[in-house]
Amino acid sequence: MTDKSKKKSAEKEDKIAEDASESNIQAESVVKDDLAEAQSKAEEYLSMARRLQADFDNYRKRTQKENEEFRKYANEGMVKELLSVIDDLDRALATATEETDLVTGFRGVRKNLMKMLEEKGLKEIPSEGQFDPHVHEAMCTVDGDTDGKIAQVFQKGYTMDGRVIRYAKVIVTKKQEEAK
């Protein structure tokens, strides 16, 4: 080989090495871009998975709460129907003039029925004292010494697990206006 051919060969090798180096730099750049894009997509998918998990947790909690509410108030319809039986027993006992065995039996039946319903969450609304529009329904007013006192109860009211299932129907006093 002559010097000239050696020089040409060295130039070719340098050019090949330079091209390879540029190619490696470009390949490295492409790989870095692909890696950055893949990491970006991975973060996006991870964020999406976390949102889906949070949505599912919220759905599960909401469904569990709705099921608990349903179980809590599932017997409400049956209890409402039994309230009319209790009202009938109360009316029958109110008309009793003597304490006979039959009256004692009715009192026992009413007591047992109320005990069973109270175990299911039923509570009688107190109908003495001040009128409360959240639990009482005013049927009419009568003259009295003060405003808003309950004078008489038409029908007892009840709550079930803190929710009013029947408002107490009452007569409310109204203070008389003084004649001028």
mmCIF file of all heavy atoms in Angstrom, residues 42-84:
data_model
loop_
_atom_site.group_PDB
_atom_site.id
_atom_site.type_symbol
_atom_site.label_atom_id
_atom_site.label_comp_id
_atom_site.label_asym_id
_atom_site.label_seq_id
_atom_site.Cartn_x
_atom_site.Cartn_y
_atom_site.Cartn_z
ATOM 1 N N ALA A 42 -46.468 5.511 31.279
ATOM 2 C CA ALA A 42 -46.569 4.706 32.499
ATOM 3 C C ALA A 42 -47.147 5.545 33.635
ATOM 4 O O ALA A 42 -48.020 5.087 34.378
ATOM 5 C CB ALA A 42 -45.202 4.146 32.887
ATOM 6 N N GLU A 43 -46.683 6.794 33.766
ATOM 7 C CA GLU A 43 -47.227 7.676 34.810
ATOM 8 C C GLU A 43 -48.700 7.974 34.554
ATOM 9 O O GLU A 43 -49.507 8.014 35.484
ATOM 10 C CB GLU A 43 -46.415 8.977 34.866
ATOM 11 C CG GLU A 43 -45.042 8.780 35.473
ATOM 12 C CD GLU A 43 -44.210 10.060 35.443
ATOM 13 O OE1 GLU A 43 -44.790 11.150 35.264
ATOM 14 O OE2 GLU A 43 -42.990 9.947 35.592
ATOM 15 N N GLU A 44 -49.048 8.188 33.279
ATOM 16 C CA GLU A 44 -50.453 8.445 32.929
ATOM 17 C C GLU A 44 -51.324 7.242 33.292
ATOM 18 O O GLU A 44 -52.402 7.403 33.886
ATOM 19 C CB GLU A 44 -50.547 8.733 31.421
ATOM 20 C CG GLU A 44 -51.929 9.027 30.935
ATOM 21 C CD GLU A 44 -51.940 9.255 29.415
ATOM 22 O OE1 GLU A 44 -50.953 9.766 28.873
ATOM 23 O OE2 GLU A 44 -52.948 8.886 28.802
ATOM 24 N N TYR A 45 -50.861 6.040 32.941
ATOM 25 C CA TYR A 45 -51.635 4.828 33.254
ATOM 26 C C TYR A 45 -51.720 4.589 34.769
ATOM 27 O O TYR A 45 -52.762 4.168 35.283
ATOM 28 C CB TYR A 45 -51.038 3.604 32.568
ATOM 29 C CG TYR A 45 -51.178 3.610 31.066
ATOM 30 C CD1 TYR A 45 -50.193 3.084 30.251
ATOM 31 C CD2 TYR A 45 -52.298 4.165 30.451
ATOM 32 C CE1 TYR A 45 -50.302 3.097 28.875
ATOM 33 C CE2 TYR A 45 -52.420 4.186 29.074
ATOM 34 C CZ TYR A 45 -51.424 3.654 28.295
ATOM 35 O OH TYR A 45 -51.550 3.672 26.937
ATOM 36 N N LEU A 46 -50.628 4.887 35.473
ATOM 37 C CA LEU A 46 -50.639 4.733 36.927
ATOM 38 C C LEU A 46 -51.628 5.707 37.565
ATOM 39 O O LEU A 46 -52.404 5.335 38.446
ATOM 40 C CB LEU A 46 -49.232 4.953 37.496
ATOM 41 C CG LEU A 46 -49.094 4.774 39.008
ATOM 42 C CD1 LEU A 46 -49.471 3.354 39.415
ATOM 43 C CD2 LEU A 46 -47.691 5.122 39.462
ATOM 44 N N SER A 47 -51.630 6.932 37.071
ATOM 45 C CA SER A 47 -52.581 7.932 37.577
ATOM 46 C C SER A 47 -54.015 7.495 37.284
ATOM 47 O O SER A 47 -54.903 7.611 38.138
ATOM 48 C CB SER A 47 -52.278 9.283 36.931
ATOM 49 O OG SER A 47 -53.232 10.225 37.302
ATOM 50 N N MET A 48 -54.242 6.971 36.067
ATOM 51 C CA MET A 48 -55.575 6.497 35.690
ATOM 52 C C MET A 48 -55.994 5.321 36.582
ATOM 53 O O MET A 48 -57.143 5.264 37.045
ATOM 54 C CB MET A 48 -55.576 6.068 34.218
ATOM 55 C CG MET A 48 -56.943 5.776 33.666
ATOM 56 S SD MET A 48 -56.975 5.192 31.951
ATOM 57 C CE MET A 48 -55.883 6.296 31.111
ATOM 58 N N ALA A 49 -55.051 4.417 36.848
ATOM 59 C CA ALA A 49 -55.352 3.261 37.708
ATOM 60 C C ALA A 49 -55.692 3.722 39.124
ATOM 61 O O ALA A 49 -56.614 3.194 39.747
ATOM 62 C CB ALA A 49 -54.166 2.300 37.740
ATOM 63 N N ARG A 50 -54.979 4.737 39.622
ATOM 64 C CA ARG A 50 -55.278 5.247 40.970
ATOM 65 C C ARG A 50 -56.666 5.882 41.016
ATOM 66 O O ARG A 50 -57.408 5.705 41.981
ATOM 67 C CB ARG A 50 -54.222 6.269 41.390
ATOM 68 C CG ARG A 50 -52.906 5.622 41.750
ATOM 69 C CD ARG A 50 -51.897 6.647 42.186
ATOM 70 N NE ARG A 50 -50.651 5.979 42.547
ATOM 71 C CZ ARG A 50 -49.462 6.519 42.405
ATOM 72 N NH1 ARG A 50 -49.351 7.741 41.924
ATOM 73 N NH2 ARG A 50 -48.396 5.871 42.750
ATOM 74 N N ARG A 51 -57.021 6.642 39.965
ATOM 75 C CA ARG A 51 -58.364 7.254 39.924
ATOM 76 C C ARG A 51 -59.444 6.182 39.872
ATOM 77 O O ARG A 51 -60.475 6.276 40.543
ATOM 78 C CB ARG A 51 -58.493 8.190 38.718
ATOM 79 C CG ARG A 51 -57.837 9.541 38.926
ATOM 80 C CD ARG A 51 -58.286 10.519 37.855
ATOM 81 N NE ARG A 51 -58.026 10.032 36.508
ATOM 82 C CZ ARG A 51 -56.956 10.347 35.791
ATOM 83 N NH1 ARG A 51 -56.066 11.164 36.264
ATOM 84 N NH2 ARG A 51 -56.809 9.863 34.586
ATOM 85 N N LEU A 52 -59.206 5.149 39.051
ATOM 86 C CA LEU A 52 -60.173 4.049 38.976
ATOM 87 C C LEU A 52 -60.309 3.347 40.322
ATOM 88 O O LEU A 52 -61.422 2.996 40.731
ATOM 89 C CB LEU A 52 -59.762 3.051 37.901
ATOM 90 C CG LEU A 52 -60.041 3.483 36.475
ATOM 91 C CD1 LEU A 52 -59.434 2.483 35.483
ATOM 92 C CD2 LEU A 52 -61.515 3.630 36.220
ATOM 93 N N GLN A 53 -59.190 3.144 41.010
ATOM 94 C CA GLN A 53 -59.232 2.506 42.330
ATOM 95 C C GLN A 53 -60.018 3.369 43.314
ATOM 96 O O GLN A 53 -60.836 2.868 44.083
ATOM 97 C CB GLN A 53 -57.809 2.261 42.847
ATOM 98 C CG GLN A 53 -57.766 1.560 44.185
ATOM 99 C CD GLN A 53 -58.275 0.134 44.110
ATOM 100 O OE1 GLN A 53 -58.003 -0.576 43.163
ATOM 101 N NE2 GLN A 53 -59.048 -0.278 45.102
ATOM 102 N N ALA A 54 -59.772 4.692 43.269
ATOM 103 C CA ALA A 54 -60.499 5.601 44.163
ATOM 104 C C ALA A 54 -61.988 5.611 43.825
ATOM 105 O O ALA A 54 -62.830 5.594 44.729
ATOM 106 C CB ALA A 54 -59.925 7.013 44.063
ATOM 107 N N ASP A 55 -62.318 5.628 42.525
ATOM 108 C CA ASP A 55 -63.733 5.581 42.131
ATOM 109 C C ASP A 55 -64.383 4.288 42.604
ATOM 110 O O ASP A 55 -65.513 4.294 43.090
ATOM 111 C CB ASP A 55 -63.880 5.690 40.608
ATOM 112 C CG ASP A 55 -63.616 7.082 40.096
ATOM 113 O OD1 ASP A 55 -63.593 8.033 40.910
ATOM 114 O OD2 ASP A 55 -63.424 7.222 38.866
ATOM 115 N N PHE A 56 -63.668 3.178 42.470
ATOM 116 C CA PHE A 56 -64.215 1.892 42.905
ATOM 117 C C PHE A 56 -64.403 1.868 44.423
ATOM 118 O O PHE A 56 -65.425 1.375 44.916
ATOM 119 C CB PHE A 56 -63.313 0.738 42.470
ATOM 120 C CG PHE A 56 -63.845 -0.595 42.896
ATOM 121 C CD1 PHE A 56 -64.945 -1.149 42.255
ATOM 122 C CD2 PHE A 56 -63.280 -1.285 43.957
ATOM 123 C CE1 PHE A 56 -65.466 -2.369 42.665
ATOM 124 C CE2 PHE A 56 -63.782 -2.496 44.365
ATOM 125 C CZ PHE A 56 -64.877 -3.045 43.717
ATOM 126 N N ASP A 57 -63.427 2.413 45.159
ATOM 127 C CA ASP A 57 -63.565 2.472 46.632
ATOM 128 C C ASP A 57 -64.779 3.314 47.018
ATOM 129 O O ASP A 57 -65.538 2.926 47.906
ATOM 130 C CB ASP A 57 -62.303 3.053 47.265
ATOM 131 C CG ASP A 57 -61.142 2.090 47.255
ATOM 132 O OD1 ASP A 57 -61.375 0.876 47.028
ATOM 133 O OD2 ASP A 57 -59.999 2.540 47.449
ATOM 134 N N ASN A 58 -64.951 4.470 46.343
ATOM 135 C CA ASN A 58 -66.120 5.307 46.628
ATOM 136 C C ASN A 58 -67.419 4.582 46.284
ATOM 137 O O ASN A 58 -68.395 4.670 47.031
ATOM 138 C CB ASN A 58 -66.046 6.625 45.859
ATOM 139 C CG ASN A 58 -64.974 7.524 46.391
ATOM 140 O OD1 ASN A 58 -64.581 7.411 47.546
ATOM 141 N ND2 ASN A 58 -64.485 8.412 45.553
ATOM 142 N N TYR A 59 -67.442 3.870 45.163
ATOM 143 C CA TYR A 59 -68.626 3.100 44.768
ATOM 144 C C TYR A 59 -68.940 2.030 45.814
ATOM 145 O O TYR A 59 -70.082 1.860 46.231
ATOM 146 C CB TYR A 59 -68.394 2.452 43.397
ATOM 147 C CG TYR A 59 -69.415 1.414 43.040
ATOM 148 C CD1 TYR A 59 -70.687 1.781 42.612
ATOM 149 C CD2 TYR A 59 -69.117 0.062 43.145
ATOM 150 C CE1 TYR A 59 -71.632 0.835 42.309
ATOM 151 C CE2 TYR A 59 -70.054 -0.893 42.842
ATOM 152 C CZ TYR A 59 -71.311 -0.512 42.420
ATOM 153 O OH TYR A 59 -72.238 -1.463 42.125
ATOM 154 N N ARG A 60 -67.887 1.319 46.256
ATOM 155 C CA ARG A 60 -68.065 0.254 47.252
ATOM 156 C C ARG A 60 -68.611 0.838 48.564
ATOM 157 O O ARG A 60 -69.558 0.296 49.145
ATOM 158 C CB ARG A 60 -66.738 -0.460 47.494
ATOM 159 C CG ARG A 60 -66.823 -1.672 48.392
ATOM 160 C CD ARG A 60 -65.495 -2.421 48.492
ATOM 161 N NE ARG A 60 -64.351 -1.558 48.676
ATOM 162 C CZ ARG A 60 -63.974 -1.029 49.846
ATOM 163 N NH1 ARG A 60 -64.633 -1.303 50.920
ATOM 164 N NH2 ARG A 60 -62.919 -0.247 49.921
ATOM 165 N N LYS A 61 -68.045 1.969 49.006
ATOM 166 C CA LYS A 61 -68.518 2.586 50.247
ATOM 167 C C LYS A 61 -69.960 3.064 50.109
ATOM 168 O O LYS A 61 -70.768 2.890 51.018
ATOM 169 C CB LYS A 61 -67.622 3.780 50.611
ATOM 170 C CG LYS A 61 -66.258 3.382 51.085
ATOM 171 C CD LYS A 61 -65.399 4.601 51.316
ATOM 172 C CE LYS A 61 -63.978 4.215 51.648
ATOM 173 N NZ LYS A 61 -63.097 5.395 51.722
ATOM 174 N N ARG A 62 -70.291 3.695 48.967
ATOM 175 C CA ARG A 62 -71.653 4.193 48.753
ATOM 176 C C ARG A 62 -72.648 3.037 48.733
ATOM 177 O O ARG A 62 -73.714 3.098 49.344
ATOM 178 C CB ARG A 62 -71.720 4.987 47.442
ATOM 179 C CG ARG A 62 -73.053 5.683 47.220
ATOM 180 C CD ARG A 62 -73.093 6.499 45.942
ATOM 181 N NE ARG A 62 -72.895 5.676 44.770
ATOM 182 C CZ ARG A 62 -71.865 5.788 43.943
ATOM 183 N NH1 ARG A 62 -70.961 6.702 44.125
ATOM 184 N NH2 ARG A 62 -71.750 4.990 42.901
ATOM 185 N N THR A 63 -72.284 1.949 48.038
ATOM 186 C CA THR A 63 -73.163 0.777 47.963
ATOM 187 C C THR A 63 -73.347 0.152 49.343
ATOM 188 O O THR A 63 -74.466 -0.230 49.710
ATOM 189 C CB THR A 63 -72.570 -0.258 46.988
ATOM 190 O OG1 THR A 63 -72.396 0.362 45.728
ATOM 191 C CG2 THR A 63 -73.481 -1.450 46.853
ATOM 192 N N GLN A 64 -72.275 0.079 50.113
ATOM 193 C CA GLN A 64 -72.359 -0.483 51.465
ATOM 194 C C GLN A 64 -73.271 0.378 52.342
ATOM 195 O O GLN A 64 -74.108 -0.145 53.080
ATOM 196 C CB GLN A 64 -70.965 -0.567 52.069
ATOM 197 C CG GLN A 64 -70.917 -1.237 53.427
ATOM 198 C CD GLN A 64 -69.486 -1.319 53.950
ATOM 199 O OE1 GLN A 64 -68.557 -0.825 53.351
ATOM 200 N NE2 GLN A 64 -69.332 -1.966 55.075
ATOM 201 N N LYS A 65 -73.142 1.703 52.225
ATOM 202 C CA LYS A 65 -73.988 2.610 53.014
ATOM 203 C C LYS A 65 -75.452 2.476 52.601
ATOM 204 O O LYS A 65 -76.347 2.444 53.457
ATOM 205 C CB LYS A 65 -73.513 4.055 52.807
ATOM 206 C CG LYS A 65 -74.234 5.052 53.658
ATOM 207 C CD LYS A 65 -73.675 6.442 53.443
ATOM 208 C CE LYS A 65 -74.440 7.434 54.276
ATOM 209 N NZ LYS A 65 -73.968 8.802 54.065
ATOM 210 N N GLU A 66 -75.700 2.372 51.284
ATOM 211 C CA GLU A 66 -77.079 2.209 50.809
ATOM 212 C C GLU A 66 -77.675 0.898 51.298
ATOM 213 O O GLU A 66 -78.849 0.848 51.677
ATOM 214 C CB GLU A 66 -77.114 2.268 49.277
ATOM 215 C CG GLU A 66 -76.900 3.641 48.721
ATOM 216 C CD GLU A 66 -76.741 3.655 47.207
ATOM 217 O OE1 GLU A 66 -76.717 2.577 46.572
ATOM 218 O OE2 GLU A 66 -76.618 4.765 46.663
ATOM 219 N N ASN A 67 -76.878 -0.162 51.306
ATOM 220 C CA ASN A 67 -77.368 -1.455 51.798
ATOM 221 C C ASN A 67 -77.692 -1.392 53.288
ATOM 222 O O ASN A 67 -78.689 -1.956 53.732
ATOM 223 C CB ASN A 67 -76.350 -2.557 51.522
ATOM 224 C CG ASN A 67 -76.333 -2.959 50.077
ATOM 225 O OD1 ASN A 67 -77.292 -2.729 49.340
ATOM 226 N ND2 ASN A 67 -75.233 -3.540 49.634
ATOM 227 N N GLU A 68 -76.834 -0.707 54.047
ATOM 228 C CA GLU A 68 -77.101 -0.553 55.481
ATOM 229 C C GLU A 68 -78.380 0.239 55.712
ATOM 230 O O GLU A 68 -79.187 -0.106 56.574
ATOM 231 C CB GLU A 68 -75.921 0.131 56.166
ATOM 232 C CG GLU A 68 -74.704 -0.744 56.290
ATOM 233 C CD GLU A 68 -73.484 0.004 56.794
ATOM 234 O OE1 GLU A 68 -73.606 1.182 57.165
ATOM 235 O OE2 GLU A 68 -72.401 -0.599 56.789
ATOM 236 N N GLU A 69 -78.590 1.328 54.928
ATOM 237 C CA GLU A 69 -79.816 2.122 55.038
ATOM 238 C C GLU A 69 -81.034 1.265 54.682
ATOM 239 O O GLU A 69 -82.060 1.328 55.341
ATOM 240 C CB GLU A 69 -79.751 3.337 54.095
ATOM 241 C CG GLU A 69 -78.837 4.418 54.557
ATOM 242 C CD GLU A 69 -79.416 5.229 55.710
ATOM 243 O OE1 GLU A 69 -80.613 5.550 55.673
ATOM 244 O OE2 GLU A 69 -78.651 5.530 56.631
ATOM 245 N N PHE A 70 -80.899 0.464 53.632
ATOM 246 C CA PHE A 70 -82.011 -0.384 53.208
ATOM 247 C C PHE A 70 -82.373 -1.377 54.313
ATOM 248 O O PHE A 70 -83.544 -1.541 54.648
ATOM 249 C CB PHE A 70 -81.666 -1.133 51.923
ATOM 250 C CG PHE A 70 -82.742 -2.082 51.496
ATOM 251 C CD1 PHE A 70 -83.902 -1.614 50.899
ATOM 252 C CD2 PHE A 70 -82.619 -3.451 51.723
ATOM 253 C CE1 PHE A 70 -84.906 -2.481 50.526
ATOM 254 C CE2 PHE A 70 -83.616 -4.326 51.352
ATOM 255 C CZ PHE A 70 -84.759 -3.844 50.751
ATOM 256 N N ARG A 71 -81.356 -2.019 54.889
ATOM 257 C CA ARG A 71 -81.613 -2.984 55.972
ATOM 258 C C ARG A 71 -82.231 -2.301 57.185
ATOM 259 O O ARG A 71 -83.126 -2.846 57.821
ATOM 260 C CB ARG A 71 -80.316 -3.684 56.377
ATOM 261 C CG ARG A 71 -80.018 -4.878 55.526
ATOM 262 C CD ARG A 71 -78.840 -5.665 56.052
ATOM 263 N NE ARG A 71 -77.850 -5.629 54.989
ATOM 264 C CZ ARG A 71 -76.620 -5.199 55.086
ATOM 265 N NH1 ARG A 71 -76.160 -4.799 56.232
ATOM 266 N NH2 ARG A 71 -75.808 -5.193 54.056
ATOM 267 N N LYS A 72 -81.768 -1.090 57.465
ATOM 268 C CA LYS A 72 -82.237 -0.359 58.631
ATOM 269 C C LYS A 72 -83.721 -0.020 58.523
ATOM 270 O O LYS A 72 -84.464 -0.111 59.491
ATOM 271 C CB LYS A 72 -81.410 0.925 58.764
ATOM 272 C CG LYS A 72 -81.578 1.670 60.037
ATOM 273 C CD LYS A 72 -80.582 2.838 60.042
ATOM 274 C CE LYS A 72 -80.655 3.616 61.304
ATOM 275 N NZ LYS A 72 -79.713 4.744 61.303
ATOM 276 N N TYR A 73 -84.157 0.362 57.321
ATOM 277 C CA TYR A 73 -85.541 0.807 57.149
ATOM 278 C C TYR A 73 -86.400 -0.182 56.364
ATOM 279 O O TYR A 73 -87.495 0.150 55.945
ATOM 280 C CB TYR A 73 -85.573 2.175 56.459
ATOM 281 C CG TYR A 73 -84.895 3.239 57.283
ATOM 282 C CD1 TYR A 73 -83.685 3.783 56.900
ATOM 283 C CD2 TYR A 73 -85.461 3.678 58.472
ATOM 284 C CE1 TYR A 73 -83.048 4.746 57.676
ATOM 285 C CE2 TYR A 73 -84.834 4.634 59.252
ATOM 286 C CZ TYR A 73 -83.632 5.167 58.840
ATOM 287 O OH TYR A 73 -83.010 6.103 59.616
ATOM 288 N N ALA A 74 -85.923 -1.400 56.170
ATOM 289 C CA ALA A 74 -86.669 -2.399 55.396
ATOM 290 C C ALA A 74 -87.995 -2.753 56.057
ATOM 291 O O ALA A 74 -88.982 -3.021 55.389
ATOM 292 C CB ALA A 74 -85.825 -3.648 55.197
ATOM 293 N N ASN A 75 -88.046 -2.723 57.382
ATOM 294 C CA ASN A 75 -89.256 -3.111 58.106
ATOM 295 C C ASN A 75 -90.209 -1.945 58.341
ATOM 296 O O ASN A 75 -91.260 -2.129 58.966
ATOM 297 C CB ASN A 75 -88.876 -3.721 59.463
ATOM 298 C CG ASN A 75 -88.111 -4.999 59.303
ATOM 299 O OD1 ASN A 75 -88.325 -5.741 58.351
ATOM 300 N ND2 ASN A 75 -87.201 -5.258 60.217
ATOM 301 N N GLU A 76 -89.862 -0.781 57.855
ATOM 302 C CA GLU A 76 -90.653 0.413 58.131
ATOM 303 C C GLU A 76 -92.112 0.260 57.676
ATOM 304 O O GLU A 76 -93.032 0.637 58.404
ATOM 305 C CB GLU A 76 -90.018 1.634 57.462
ATOM 306 C CG GLU A 76 -90.689 2.933 57.830
ATOM 307 C CD GLU A 76 -89.996 4.125 57.218
ATOM 308 O OE1 GLU A 76 -88.762 4.243 57.380
ATOM 309 O OE2 GLU A 76 -90.675 4.914 56.561
ATOM 310 N N GLY A 77 -92.344 -0.305 56.505
ATOM 311 C CA GLY A 77 -93.711 -0.474 55.992
ATOM 312 C C GLY A 77 -94.539 -1.374 56.893
ATOM 313 O O GLY A 77 -95.691 -1.064 57.210
ATOM 314 N N MET A 78 -93.937 -2.483 57.307
ATOM 315 C CA MET A 78 -94.649 -3.406 58.192
ATOM 316 C C MET A 78 -94.935 -2.748 59.537
ATOM 317 O O MET A 78 -96.029 -2.896 60.094
ATOM 318 C CB MET A 78 -93.829 -4.675 58.398
ATOM 319 C CG MET A 78 -94.517 -5.705 59.266
ATOM 320 S SD MET A 78 -93.451 -7.055 59.707
ATOM 321 C CE MET A 78 -92.352 -6.272 60.864
ATOM 322 N N VAL A 79 -93.980 -2.005 60.059
ATOM 323 C CA VAL A 79 -94.157 -1.324 61.352
ATOM 324 C C VAL A 79 -95.278 -0.298 61.248
ATOM 325 O O VAL A 79 -96.117 -0.191 62.157
ATOM 326 C CB VAL A 79 -92.833 -0.678 61.812
ATOM 327 C CG1 VAL A 79 -93.054 0.219 63.025
ATOM 328 C CG2 VAL A 79 -91.796 -1.745 62.127
ATOM 329 N N LYS A 80 -95.321 0.446 60.125
ATOM 330 C CA LYS A 80 -96.396 1.439 59.936
ATOM 331 C C LYS A 80 -97.770 0.760 59.968
ATOM 332 O O LYS A 80 -98.717 1.284 60.544
ATOM 333 C CB LYS A 80 -96.226 2.169 58.610
ATOM 334 C CG LYS A 80 -95.211 3.266 58.640
ATOM 335 C CD LYS A 80 -95.154 3.958 57.291
ATOM 336 C CE LYS A 80 -94.180 5.090 57.299
ATOM 337 N NZ LYS A 80 -94.094 5.738 55.977
ATOM 338 N N GLU A 81 -97.870 -0.405 59.351
ATOM 339 C CA GLU A 81 -99.147 -1.121 59.351
ATOM 340 C C GLU A 81 -99.506 -1.606 60.764
ATOM 341 O O GLU A 81 -100.677 -1.606 61.145
ATOM 342 C CB GLU A 81 -99.093 -2.298 58.380
ATOM 343 C CG GLU A 81 -99.055 -1.849 56.928
ATOM 344 C CD GLU A 81 -98.938 -3.001 55.950
ATOM 345 O OE1 GLU A 81 -99.250 -4.144 56.332
ATOM 346 O OE2 GLU A 81 -98.526 -2.751 54.807
ATOM 347 N N LEU A 82 -98.513 -1.999 61.527
ATOM 348 C CA LEU A 82 -98.780 -2.456 62.896
ATOM 349 C C LEU A 82 -99.168 -1.303 63.820
ATOM 350 O O LEU A 82 -99.813 -1.523 64.841
ATOM 351 C CB LEU A 82 -97.565 -3.197 63.462
ATOM 352 C CG LEU A 82 -97.318 -4.578 62.868
ATOM 353 C CD1 LEU A 82 -96.008 -5.155 63.378
ATOM 354 C CD2 LEU A 82 -98.472 -5.510 63.201
ATOM 355 N N LEU A 83 -98.809 -0.078 63.458
ATOM 356 C CA LEU A 83 -99.187 1.068 64.285
ATOM 357 C C LEU A 83 -100.705 1.211 64.361
ATOM 358 O O LEU A 83 -101.241 1.615 65.394
ATOM 359 C CB LEU A 83 -98.553 2.358 63.755
ATOM 360 C CG LEU A 83 -97.042 2.468 63.920
ATOM 361 C CD1 LEU A 83 -96.540 3.774 63.314
ATOM 362 C CD2 LEU A 83 -96.639 2.352 65.371
ATOM 363 N N SER A 84 -101.402 0.880 63.273
ATOM 364 C CA SER A 84 -102.872 0.971 63.317
ATOM 365 C C SER A 84 -103.437 -0.069 64.297
ATOM 366 O O SER A 84 -104.446 0.187 64.962
ATOM 367 C CB SER A 84 -103.476 0.790 61.918
ATOM 368 O OG SER A 84 -103.208 -0.503 61.440
#
